[in-house]
Amino acid sequence: MNHHSPVILDIAGTALTADDRRRLAHPLTGGLILFTRNWQHRAQLTALIAEIKAIREDLLVCIDHEGGRVQRLRTDGFTHLPPMRHYGERWMQDAMVATEAATAAGFVLASELRACGVDLSFTPVLDLDHGESSVIGDRAFHRDARVVTLLAKSVMHGLLLAGMANCGKHFPGHGFVKADSHVAVPVDKRSRKAILAEDAQPYAWLGGALASVMPAHVIYPKVDARPAGFSPVWLQDILRHQLGFEGAIFSDDLSMEGARFIEGRAVSATEAGVAALQAGCDLVLLCNQSQVEGGRPVDELLDGLMQAEAQGQWAPEPLSEQRRLALLPQTEPLPWDELMMSPAYQRALERLPG
């Protein structure tokens, strides 16, 4: 059987418990996602991640760290980065200054995270700022797909200079709908043609530069009855075949309200995970469940997926593991104190907005 570790899970606290260690060693675990509750200070986080990597060196340590209101680590020296809309506004004044600042932001974000051992931040947001979405809002660069693409590419270049991969989200676009998919399933009634001509354009233009993609927990009924992250039409026909994307596809959080109903039916996290993997996701996220009943939902997902695989309900896509491993940094990070002294970092800080 082809070894494949699709599950990205979370841990409850600032240190590993015996349960965390057991789950991280599970063959289906491919990594974890950190939240603010896992953070006290840099030394603690660095030690925590070192302990995680000692269990399995190839575990992918992820975080949502974009800037603005989505920035999990804000104290003990971490630079406060502006929301992405800031760069879109700067673009309107001076496009070159804006791209330079966006590259600096990507570099600072990634080099600070990597100094503590984090492998991947789920950034950049490629959603268009239609002025509608409560959950996206100032996380989007701009209304114009061309500006979004070039600013995102600038941020991605900064990440790359610090040795970090990237994750474009939320495919094919979360900016047009009002509802927040953490609590409901938003519906975008536009045609496939309209979405591809506009919101999905950054995914086409960024091509091979995108290392990973996270689909939107949004239903586009003119294209498919399932939310994009559970839709083979969106993930395979459109993203893989039509747009030629070859990187990793992450499901969004399986514990979100939006993942709990597929085609009108309430499903378990395991069923949602199987549906996401069948639809074409390489990796599935289950967030904030380690704190629920001692992490029972996490164990249920790991055991449930194991059983479902044994029963032939899903089979590892041969390239998935390769795609996951490709997200791990290929270079050694600079430790924090060295990073602070490095000219590239100091220059990047100067180029950030004051």
Side-chain angles (χ1 to χ4, degrees):
M1 189 162 56
N2 184 2
H3 174 65
H4 171 36
S5 308
V7 178
I8 308 287
L9 45 78
D10 70 290
I11 56 174
T14 52
L16 293 183
T17 63
D19 279 334
D20 292 327
R21 288 195 184 87
R22 175 176 57 75
R23 289 175 193 133
L24 290 169
H26 193 287
L28 289 187
T29 301
L32 82 162
I33 177 166
L34 295 165
F35 292 94
T36 305
R37 65 165 185 276
N38 305 127
W39 161 262
Q40 285 167 312
H41 46 74
R42 280 198 331 269
Q44 164 269 332
L45 186 73
T46 308
L48 174 66
I49 295 174
E51 218 183 325
I52 288 160
K53 293 283 188 176
I55 295 171
R56 271 203 10 234
E57 211 179 350
D58 70 299
L59 288 172
L60 184 69
V61 178
C62 312
I63 197 164
D64 274 319
H65 203 80
E66 301 166 5
R69 61 198 156 93
V70 183
Q71 180 172 338
R72 302 285 184 237
L73 316 179
R74 296 173 167 271
T75 52
D76 200 12
F78 269 86
T79 304
H80 284 225
L81 297 163
M84 294 300 108
R85 179 182 283 162
H86 169 88
Y87 303 100
E89 287 166 352
R90 278 188 99 163
W91 175 281
M92 302 315 285
Q93 298 149 3
D94 185 331
M96 298 321 291
V97 166
T99 62
E100 193 180 29
T103 297
F107 181 77
V108 168
L109 179 150
S111 54
E112 289 179 355
L113 287 173
R114 286 207 60 208
C116 297
V118 177
D119 297 316
L120 179 70
S121 173
F122 292 120
T123 186
V125 170
L126 300 178
D127 300 318
L128 306 191
D129 186 4
H130 287 280
E132 288 295 321
S133 171
S134 56
V135 71
I136 303 302
D138 64 4
R139 294 167 65 193
F141 286 104
H142 203 275
R143 170 69 183 78
D144 186 329
R146 299 169 301 180
V147 177
V148 168
T149 301
L150 289 172
L151 287 172
K153 195 175 206 172
S154 303
V155 168
M156 285 156 55
H157 186 217
L159 299 174
L160 184 66
L161 290 171
M164 186 179 279
N166 59 65
C167 181
K169 63 190 187 183
H170 304 84
F171 175 79
H174 201 313
F176 194 73
V177 288
K178 271 197 172 71
D180 176 351
S181 54
H182 291 85
V183 291
V185 190
V187 176
D188 183 338
K189 294 184 171 151
R190 292 176 299 166
S191 69
R192 172 171 171 157
K193 193 175 167 190
I195 298 161
L196 286 175
E198 210 176 2
D199 294 60
Q201 269 292 5
Y203 296 89
W205 285 327
L206 289 168
L210 275 177
S212 65
V213 162
M214 187 177 282
H217 259 322
V218 175
I219 294 174
Y220 308 84
K222 295 224 164 87
V223 182
D224 194 0
R226 292 182 165 211
F230 299 98
S231 162
V233 179
W234 279 115
L235 301 186
Q236 293 178 43
D237 302 355
I238 299 176
L239 184 57
R240 290 261 184 245
H241 298 137
Q242 194 178 333
L243 302 181
F245 176 67
E246 290 177 4
I249 302 176
F250 285 91
S251 80
D252 208 337
D253 177 11
L254 295 178
S255 72
M256 272 160 68
E257 216 35 56
R260 281 305 196 223
F261 294 90
I262 299 176
E263 292 173 8
R265 190 172 71 83
V267 296
S268 69
T270 299
E271 286 177 290
V274 168
L277 291 163
Q278 283 175 338
C281 288
D282 298 296
L283 296 152
V284 293
L285 264 77
L286 186 68
C287 304
N288 301 317
Q289 299 304 294
S290 60
Q291 296 176 295
V292 179
E293 299 173 44
R296 194 171 59 87
V298 189
D299 290 327
E300 278 176 10
L301 178 67
L302 291 169
D303 297 343
L305 281 181
M306 200 85 163
Q307 209 174 343
E309 186 182 8
Q311 291 166 356
Q313 289 170 29
W314 69 279
E317 145 71 43
L319 293 172
S320 286
E321 190 62 2
Q322 212 173 306
R323 291 178 185 134
R324 180 182 76 83
L325 295 171
L327 298 174
L328 289 162
Q330 308 300 307
T331 55
E332 283 300 311
L334 276 185
W336 190 275
D337 295 342
E338 280 178 47
L339 176 67
M340 294 301 111
M341 303 300 291
S342 79
Y345 177 78
Q346 290 174 348
R347 198 164 56 239
L349 283 182
E350 283 161 21
R351 289 173 179 180
L352 287 175

